[in-house]
Amino acid sequence: MSEFAPDAGFRKNRKLKDALLRHKAFSKEGFSERLFGLLFSGLVYPQIWEDPDLDMQAMELKPNHRIVTIGSGGCNMLAYLSKAPASIDVVDLNPHHIALNRLKLAAFKHLPDHADLVRFLAMPNEKSNSRAYDRHLAARLDEATRSYWNGRKFGRRRVTVFDRNIYETGLLGRFIGAAHLLARLHGVKLREMTKTRSIREQRQFFDEQIAPLFEKPVVRWITGRKSSLFGLGIPPQQYDELASLAADHSIAPVLKHRLEKLACHFPMRDNYFAWQAFGRRYGTQEEGPLPTYLRPEHYEVIRANVDRVNVHHASFTELLAREPAASRDRYILLDAQDWMTDGQLNDVWREITRTARDGARVIFRTAAEKSVIEGRVSPSICDQWDYFEEKSRELTALDRSAIYGGFHIYGKKA
């Protein structure tokens, strides 16, 4: 378990700077990168926005598999535990995500039962959650994680965010809140989407209430600027990829299309991503599902396998470089490759290929539709992998989070 500095900002976070910075500080591009880095140095994703059910379908997890994944909000690595794999190594460059991942693992292991777990991680405005932390979790955390959650922000201990609603915090949570406010200023209450009872009603609400917002001058102005979308966790490189999809290089039509998929392609009762986007919470038992890792049918097996997870404050490449050859089976890169230079892409794929067993799989998402490694990673590396193009296209259409253009699956050749 790698140590981390709980209060390291962007200036001191060498790992994040190495991953993000490409241009000189006083250039337009360099300023944009550094602004994003400053914003990304805090908590970004209290909930991960990749659909874990698709991940598990693509990976076909088995008990002997050893997994490496990026942590983000921690939801997906816990969902993978429901398949009882041999091990999971979680990496992340953001110390806030490291602290959240470790806290979620401790909550599974040490809170008394499933109801307490759901209350702590999923229910807003539960004033007893910080007391549950003090009673059951604090003493069982490593020193750095305990220091993080006991640390104060704006005069309150960080852990008290669970007394309110952690999903309204973080960079993404605040961005969604700002979007709700902007919609209200135009007379639209986005929470009303949660009252729909069919795909037909969802489509009607989107077409009549949400779609017209994208024609408003202020919305077009906002979506035309890279920095205004940093709150979605979209770095400058990803913005350029998204803008390339539109003829006029405006990101507004792309965002409208992705939001239309989130709003209209899946029933609200089946999509907890839509509940967070429109309702700012998870649905109740009668309204909608909990995230996969919080469903009662998975509780016992996840709790029993928590100790199979190790969380590292490191990059994917950094972790794999320390591991022996042919030692891992499944790799989940989220959308991290959208940030990478050609050199960084080749470095991570070289280590993935070296450490991959025969039959290993790599899955990742991209802001645009095409696979980011094609034509950029060395042919000597790519030739050792098969691209499951048809399956990738099929699962892209089924991704409930709806925010990515492509879901991609690669398999190591024997």
Side-chain angles (χ1 to χ4, degrees):
M1 183 180 285
S2 306
E3 198 54 89
F4 70 100
D7 290 306
F10 180 61
R11 186 173 60 84
K12 296 181 179 180
N13 191 341
R14 173 54 58 186
K15 299 176 189 293
L16 182 57
K17 291 171 74 173
D18 288 346
L20 182 63
L21 300 185
R22 303 182 184 182
H23 299 90
K24 294 181 179 180
F26 293 105
S27 66
K28 180 180 179 181
E29 295 85 356
F31 175 79
S32 185
E33 290 169 350
R34 283 157 180 81
L35 175 59
F36 178 79
L38 287 170
L39 294 171
F40 204 82
S41 293
L43 178 66
V44 181
Y45 304 113
Q47 171 193 284
I48 191 170
W49 278 75
E50 282 85 3
D51 192 333
D53 293 352
L54 293 192
D55 290 1
M56 292 186 286
Q57 185 177 339
M59 289 190 288
E60 298 180 356
L61 290 179
K62 293 181 171 55
N64 65 311
H65 285 162
R66 302 186 69 191
I67 300 169
V68 184
T69 183
I70 295 173
S72 188
C75 316
N76 285 17
M77 64 92 175
L78 285 162
Y80 307 153
L81 275 185
S82 69
K83 301 297 183 181
S87 69
I88 302 179
D89 284 294
V90 177
V91 298
D92 207 290
L93 300 177
N94 187 320
H96 302 266
H97 292 163
I98 297 293
L100 181 59
N101 275 250
R102 292 181 179 173
L103 181 64
K104 286 185 174 181
L105 287 163
F108 260 94
K109 186 172 183 178
H110 299 297
L111 289 177
D113 56 34
H114 181 255
D116 292 301
L117 180 78
V118 171
R119 186 180 304 112
F120 188 81
L121 293 177
M123 303 300 290
N125 303 315
E126 289 287 345
K127 304 302 182 184
S128 64
N129 281 338
S130 59
R131 294 195 297 272
Y133 165 86
D134 291 331
R135 176 177 295 180
H136 300 291
L137 303 180
R140 295 178 169 93
L141 295 170
D142 63 276
E143 184 177 351
T145 305
R146 182 170 58 251
S147 175
Y148 175 89
W149 291 109
N150 283 335
R152 292 188 175 273
K153 186 175 182 180
F154 305 123
R156 297 185 289 196
R157 287 194 304 160
R158 278 196 178 100
V159 73
T160 61
V161 71
F162 291 95
D163 293 341
R164 303 185 299 278
N165 186 349
I166 188 172
Y167 302 105
E168 291 184 347
T169 67
L171 187 61
L172 182 58
R174 291 192 292 272
F175 182 92
I176 293 173
H180 276 250
L181 176 60
L182 182 61
R184 284 201 303 273
L185 292 175
H186 288 89
V188 177
K189 296 179 180 179
L190 296 179
R191 291 181 190 268
E192 294 295 308
M193 176 65 82
T194 66
K195 298 179 180 179
T196 58
R197 293 296 175 263
S198 67
I199 290 285
R200 179 178 173 277
E201 290 183 12
Q202 291 168 220
R203 167 63 66 182
Q204 182 178 1
F205 185 85
F206 178 84
D207 289 344
E208 295 179 359
Q209 300 291 322
I210 298 177
L213 293 174
F214 286 89
E215 303 305 319
K216 303 296 182 182
V218 66
V219 175
R220 297 192 67 84
W221 183 87
I222 289 171
T223 56
R225 281 150 182 80
K226 292 182 184 181
S227 59
S228 64
L229 296 179
F230 287 170
L232 275 174
I234 297 176
Q237 300 93 326
Q238 268 192 331
Y239 183 97
D240 293 337
E241 284 291 324
L242 288 171
S244 71
L245 298 175
D248 61 355
H249 295 284
S250 168
I251 201 174
V254 181
L255 292 179
K256 180 181 176 182
H257 174 72
R258 302 280 167 89
L259 189 58
E260 183 265 343
K261 181 180 178 182
L262 178 68
C264 305
H265 288 208
F266 312 94
M268 285 293 297
R269 65 179 179 274
D270 296 333
N271 193 355
Y272 65 86
F273 297 102
W275 270 96
Q276 279 296 342
F278 297 112
R280 312 301 316 281
R281 62 181 176 87
Y282 297 127
T284 64
Q285 187 174 3
E286 298 77 21
E287 294 172 322
L290 287 170
T292 301
Y293 78 103
L294 289 175
R295 294 177 191 167
E297 63 267 29
H298 301 313
Y299 172 68
E300 292 296 343
V301 66
I302 295 175
R303 183 182 178 111
N305 289 290
V306 162
D307 290 335
R308 299 186 184 188
V309 179
N310 285 297
V311 182
H312 311 267
H313 187 209
S315 71
F316 225 91
T317 307
E318 184 181 0
L319 174 76
L320 293 179
R322 303 195 295 257
E323 300 302 318
S327 61
R328 296 297 189 275
D329 302 280
R330 297 293 186 266
Y331 304 82
I332 303 97
L333 286 158
L334 306 186
D335 62 337
Q337 294 174 112
D338 282 0
W339 301 30
M340 294 182 185
T341 64
D342 287 0
Q344 291 167 335
L345 270 177
N346 278 275
D347 286 345
V348 71
W349 274 91
R350 189 176 299 110
E351 290 301 332
I352 288 173
T353 303
R354 183 185 66 83
T355 57
R357 295 171 175 162
D358 288 346
R361 289 192 182 183
V362 180
I363 64 172
F364 59 88
R365 288 163 172 85
T366 50
E369 296 177 5
K370 67 180 182 180
S371 169
V372 72
I373 75 167
E374 301 298 330
R376 296 180 62 190
V377 171
S378 166
S380 65
I381 296 174
C382 286
D383 288 347
Q384 299 181 56
W385 295 86
D386 287 318
Y387 179 40
F388 302 157
E389 185 173 4
E390 184 175 347
K391 188 67 173 178
S392 298
R393 190 163 48 246
E394 173 191 335
L395 293 185
T396 296
L398 297 176
D399 195 332
R400 291 171 298 174
S401 77
I403 63 175
Y404 294 104
F407 179 92
H408 305 281
I409 313 164
Y410 285 79
K412 182 75 165 13
K413 296 178 181 178

